[in-house]
Amino acid sequence: MIELDVRVLDAMSDQILTVKEVAEFLKVNERTIYRLAIEKKVPAFRVGSSWRFRKGELDGWIKAQEEKPDPESQ
């Protein structure tokens, strides 16, 4: 049972998302996602003229953002 759950989680982390899906996932505007992708501040890649994002890489990016010290608290 646990082995199946790990495979399902691995498949979910390999999921490819669009700009719209990432914006919904992060609860931000699509323009924000475009800006972050262009500035290479979020892990992304292009397929033709479209941006795509790996869910697993986004999860890692989110975790890294949570671990950064808050500049306002210093």
Side-chain angles (χ1 to χ4, degrees), residues 30-72:
E30 288 181 38
R31 286 182 290 189
T32 301
I33 301 304
Y34 280 112
R35 181 180 51 79
L36 292 172
I38 289 166
E39 295 173 357
K40 299 183 183 196
K41 292 185 177 179
V42 64
F45 62 98
R46 294 191 75 155
V47 177
S49 62
S50 300
W51 286 99
R52 295 293 183 261
F53 308 81
R54 286 188 180 88
K55 173 87 168 53
E57 289 180 359
L58 284 174
D59 290 337
W61 176 80
I62 291 168
K63 185 173 182 175
Q65 300 308 302
E66 294 171 342
E67 294 172 356
K68 284 184 180 179
D70 184 7
E72 293 181 13

Side-chain angles (χ1 to χ4, degrees), residues 4-23:
L4 175 62
D5 293 342
V6 170
R7 284 184 283 184
V8 169
L9 289 174
D10 284 345
M12 287 176 60
S13 69
D14 288 340
Q15 184 179 10
I16 304 297
L17 303 175
T18 65
V19 168
K20 182 177 182 177
E21 291 168 331
V22 173

